[in-house]
Amino acid sequence: MAIMEQTLNEQEILRRESLAKLRELGIEPYPAAEYPVNASTQDIKDGYDDEKHNFNDVCIAGRIMSRRIMGKASFVELQDSRGRIQVYVTRDDICPGEDKDLYNVVFKKLLDIGDFIGVRGTVFRTQTGEISVHAHELTLLSKSLKPLPIVKYKDGVAYDKFDDPELRYRQRYVDLVVNDGVKDTFLQRATVIRTIRRVLDEAGYTEVETPTLQMIAGGASARPFITHFNALDQDMFMRIATELYLKRLIVGGFEGVYEIGKNFRNEGMDRNHNPEFTCMELYVQYKDYNWMMSFTEKLLETVCIAVNGSTEREIDGQIVSFKAPYRRLPILDAIKEKTGFDCDGKTEEEIRAFCLSKGMEVDETMGKGKLIDELFGEFCEGTFIQPTFITDYPVEMSPLTKMHRSKPGLTERFELMVNGKELANAYSELNDPIDQEERFKEQMRLADKGDDEAMIIDQDFLRALQYGMPPTSGIGIGIDRLVMLMTGKTFIQEVLFFPQMKPEKRAPQSTVQEWAAIGVAEDWVYVLRKAGFNLIQNIRDEKPQGLQQKIGDIVKKFKLDLQKPSVDEVQQWIENSLTV
């Protein structure tokens, strides 16, 4: 038996043996030819008519999810991309001639749950009322070599569930196959994105693409991922936002531009954050943040109806209404409302002293804006369950935002809070190039104080502004978080096909070379691992006869073509292991 097979479990070995037998019978387990599917399971269930007996020649394909073999007749549950259906298989129907091997050998013995098959037949309703396909032809389309974890259902209750989050997120392909509802979440995600795109396109705005690799990580306050561009021998940044490039296009004459794309921020992972995330940013000329609030609440109302059929959604046990209009509350008023402390007119030192009095962890690197942001996050953010626009942020918190037209020291900016978290961030965009340059310089001073999220001056963006940018409003909406809200999911990992994960934990193993150093041949290394001895140290306390017996049991169980080592050989391994 091949070395690789010695690392497999018993079911995996049996499936490989079935694979070999199929080929011996002249059946290709992975055929290349097109299979002429003409219906889906859902098409059949939705369209079957008992009186017309339509679907007399259906061709379906999918994965075997269960089987009930009863002599010359069997039932198979087949799952395709749209659902499941029962297939009735009889020996004489799929083997009309003298040769019955397709049923007796292939179907009954060599096929497994998880295999893909194609079925041609007719649709009927069983005596129990279940719409089924009566198979007249059966074709193997793909052999599965790993067994699926099978979720069993009884009276609507799932048993033996594949519900370990670590496994579900790491093996999303299995999660999608065996767990009901997972695929629906991602279909709803597609509806969210499709609806946003439709609303923006109908408004006359242009979808564009901007660089993912950037020389300057700008457009947001965040820590970037750094990579190296060999051709230029220069460090580059994965973008943290699309803002500055989209504004360049407004300078260039577009009425409105948007991008739905990936951003990357080199920060932590938790239930609400993934370092790689999807964001929609929109910029429209001749608009301000008041217009953007109205546009945003109508957009989200439309998205909620598209996904849920209404303007309401239950999230974490509470009903959240996305029906416009939403409450609008200045950030300083929000802090005063929740803490009794009025930040208006206070110095950086006074605000820091108040934070310290509340037991908050703040330090000298934090400027006034950062301190206010910390206060809001500590006492306010989590309290806004219904959609609420938090407006009029201090200038220190908003380096790309236009100064408020009537409130000195504040800017025309809002963040949309829903279910205690930020969903969107928007401005009346700063288009004064001199003011913008001063704001960038202030960000550099914060960086000098130790703020590693402060922005870097983008000289080309300043140059673009100097050519003139019309009054503009812009917004960024976190798509992943929006999908969480629209689907009622608590963890961001539930709405990402492949969330970032910590490296997969593997049991430590001594290498083949390390085993060879104590006299163990390579073939026996895999046998020892199969017996549970991953490290050389693991055999030190074994008795020679006992270890030899365990090795023999593995050789017998997996039918390995190996001659069991002698007790003296095994004893020498154990003695040599004591010197390592």
Side-chain angles (χ1 to χ4, degrees):
M1 181 169 288
I3 289 175
M4 183 180 73
E5 291 191 348
Q6 295 179 29
T7 68
L8 305 174
N9 64 41
E10 190 169 5
Q11 285 197 55
E12 290 172 319
I13 290 173
L14 290 173
R15 286 178 180 233
R16 278 171 165 76
E17 290 174 352
S18 295
L19 183 75
K21 290 175 183 176
L22 286 165
R23 286 188 165 130
E24 289 173 6
L25 290 170
I27 297 173
E28 172 51 53
Y30 307 102
E34 173 192 3
Y35 190 76
V37 174
N38 62 17
S40 73
T41 56
Q42 197 62 48
D43 291 336
I44 294 169
K45 289 182 176 180
D46 290 343
Y48 179 67
D49 188 303
D50 289 290
E51 294 182 358
K52 295 180 179 178
H53 296 290
N54 52 343
F55 293 108
N56 286 321
D57 183 19
V58 297
C59 193
I60 62 173
R63 191 189 291 269
I64 297 173
M65 296 305 292
S66 68
R67 292 195 303 172
R68 300 194 310 277
I69 296 176
M70 302 171 293
K72 298 179 183 179
S74 302
F75 286 98
V76 168
E77 186 179 35
L78 195 70
Q79 176 173 296
D80 67 6
S81 62
R82 297 187 62 194
R84 297 186 182 188
I85 198 166
Q86 180 174 265
V87 177
Y88 177 59
V89 183
T90 67
R91 185 192 67 183
D92 294 336
D93 282 325
I94 67 169
C95 305
E98 293 296 321
D99 184 356
K100 306 297 182 182
D101 281 354
L102 179 59
Y103 185 83
N104 292 335
V105 179
V106 176
F107 177 76
K108 292 177 68 173
K109 298 178 181 179
L110 302 182
L111 295 189
D112 294 286
I113 290 174
D115 291 352
F116 282 87
I117 60 171
V119 171
R120 185 184 292 278
T122 57
V123 179
F124 73 106
R125 191 183 297 273
T126 66
Q127 292 181 348
T128 60
E130 185 170 356
I131 295 175
S132 305
V133 175
H134 186 160
H136 300 303
E137 294 179 12
L138 186 146
T139 305
L140 174 63
L141 300 177
S142 182
K143 180 70 183 164
S144 170
L145 299 184
K146 278 187 174 292
L148 288 169
I150 299 301
V151 182
K152 301 179 181 67
Y153 293 90
K154 184 176 181 180
D155 300 326
V157 179
Y159 298 90
D160 300 324
K161 292 193 291 186
F162 182 69
D163 57 3
D164 182 288
E166 174 81 10
L167 289 175
R168 288 186 55 232
Y169 304 152
R170 199 178 294 281
Q171 299 179 33
R172 181 68 81 189
Y173 38 87
V174 176
D175 187 33
L176 287 163
V177 172
V178 303
N179 284 328
D180 289 345
V182 175
K183 187 176 182 180
D184 292 339
T185 296
F186 291 98
L187 292 174
Q188 289 173 315
R189 180 187 176 103
T191 298
V192 168
I193 295 173
R194 184 168 56 249
T195 304
I196 290 174
R197 184 173 275 119
R198 173 176 59 79
V199 171
L200 298 181
D201 288 347
E202 289 176 355
Y205 308 139
T206 304
E207 184 173 10
V208 299
E209 296 171 292
T210 60
T212 301
L213 273 180
Q214 302 181 355
M215 291 188 178
I216 293 175
S221 296
R223 184 182 302 159
F225 284 94
I226 303 173
T227 187
H228 191 75
F229 191 169
N230 290 335
L232 297 178
D233 192 21
Q234 177 179 337
D235 282 346
M236 301 283 283
F237 302 96
M238 301 295 287
R239 72 180 177 202
I240 58 176
T242 56
E243 177 169 348
L244 300 187
Y245 280 94
L246 292 174
K247 286 182 181 177
R248 287 170 168 89
L249 298 179
I250 296 295
V251 170
F254 279 87
E255 174 192 357
V257 291
Y258 74 93
E259 182 168 9
I260 300 173
K262 294 286 190 180
N263 292 337
F264 307 85
R265 298 185 182 179
N266 198 353
E267 297 162 353
M269 300 182 295
D270 59 32
R271 60 188 289 180
N272 293 298
H273 298 89
N274 195 67
E276 174 186 352
F277 63 98
T278 304
C279 188
M280 187 285 293
E281 288 199 43
L282 165 71
Y283 295 84
V284 186
Q285 64 181 5
Y286 307 124
K287 308 298 184 185
D288 66 3
Y289 80 140
N290 291 311
W291 176 89
M292 188 63 80
M293 279 187 263
S294 298
F295 184 85
T296 300
E297 59 196 7
K298 292 173 186 174
L299 171 65
L300 296 185
E301 181 179 333
T302 302
V303 169
C304 192
I305 292 171
V307 175
N308 297 299
S310 76
T311 58
E312 295 184 344
R313 172 75 215 195
E314 182 177 337
I315 305 170
D316 295 337
Q318 302 183 80
I319 299 299
V320 176
S321 173
F322 287 92
K323 185 171 180 57
Y326 306 158
R327 184 188 183 194
R328 305 181 183 192
L329 179 66
I331 187 172
L332 299 186
D333 291 353
I335 293 173
K336 185 177 180 180
E337 184 180 283
K338 301 299 180 182
T339 68
F341 181 74
D342 190 353
C343 295
D344 191 21
K346 297 294 192 299
T347 65
E348 178 182 316
E349 290 71 24
E350 289 173 320
I351 298 173
R352 183 179 290 108
F354 178 75
C355 291
L356 292 171
S357 74
K358 291 294 185 179
M360 296 173 60
E361 294 183 5
V362 297
D363 56 49
E364 297 300 320
T365 70
M366 295 182 180
K368 186 176 180 179
K370 187 82 168 178
L371 293 169
I372 291 174
D373 193 30
E374 292 293 316
L375 271 175
F376 181 80
E378 181 75 18
F379 296 103
C380 307
E381 183 173 321
T383 67
F384 296 107
I385 304 303
Q386 299 302 321
T388 304
F389 292 115
I390 302 299
T391 68
D392 304 344
Y393 283 68
V395 64
E396 296 89 350
M397 298 175 65
S398 313
L400 298 169
T401 313
K402 186 170 288 188
M403 295 294 292
H404 200 284
R405 67 195 74 175
S406 62
K407 299 178 181 178
L410 303 181
T411 61
E412 296 197 348
R413 172 187 175 188
F414 72 77
E415 288 186 346
L416 176 59
M417 300 293 161
V418 186
N419 198 40
K421 295 295 178 183
E422 175 198 345
L423 175 61
N425 188 20
Y427 317 145
S428 292
E429 300 295 337
L430 181 58
N431 60 343
D432 179 340
I434 296 174
D435 189 0
Q436 181 65 84
E437 185 171 11
E438 288 302 314
R439 304 275 194 95
F440 275 144
K441 288 178 180 178
E442 176 58 29
Q443 287 287 299
M444 296 305 291
R445 285 190 281 270
L446 291 174
D448 291 341
K449 289 175 65 175
D451 187 346
D452 59 4
E453 294 185 349
M455 291 188 193
I456 301 171
I457 296 178
D458 187 333
Q459 295 292 351
D460 180 68
F461 175 66
L462 288 176
R463 178 169 57 193
L465 285 187
Q466 289 168 18
Y467 280 102
M469 184 175 85
T472 299
S473 184
I475 188 169
I477 297 177
I479 295 297
D480 305 322
R481 197 166 289 178
L482 177 58
V483 175
M484 289 173 66
L485 294 170
M486 293 299 168
T487 59
K489 300 301 180 185
T490 304
F491 299 95
I492 194 172
Q493 291 83 2
E494 295 284 347
V495 302
L496 300 174
F497 272 127
F498 304 106
Q500 189 66 42
M501 304 288 291
K502 294 179 181 178
E504 192 167 358
K505 292 182 180 179
R506 298 183 181 276
Q509 293 182 338
S510 296
T511 66
V512 170
Q513 292 76 16
E514 289 170 333
W515 284 104
I518 67 167
V520 179
E522 183 174 353
D523 281 348
W524 293 121
V525 172
Y526 300 103
V527 174
L528 286 165
R529 287 175 180 171
K530 185 72 73 176
F533 300 99
N534 287 314
L535 298 172
I536 291 172
Q537 298 91 310
N538 296 153
I539 69 171
R540 289 176 178 173
D541 297 328
E542 293 291 315
K543 302 292 185 184
Q545 293 86 351
L547 182 54
Q548 187 209 35
Q549 182 61 48
K550 291 176 181 178
I551 291 171
D553 290 343
I554 295 296
V555 170
K556 182 178 180 180
K557 180 177 181 179
F558 291 97
K559 302 175 183 178
L560 303 181
D561 186 21
L562 295 171
Q563 182 65 40
K564 186 170 62 173
S566 68
V567 173
D568 288 342
E569 286 180 284
V570 173
Q571 182 172 355
Q572 189 62 54
W573 296 349
I574 295 172
E575 290 176 0
N576 292 344
S577 74
L578 299 175
T579 65
V580 176

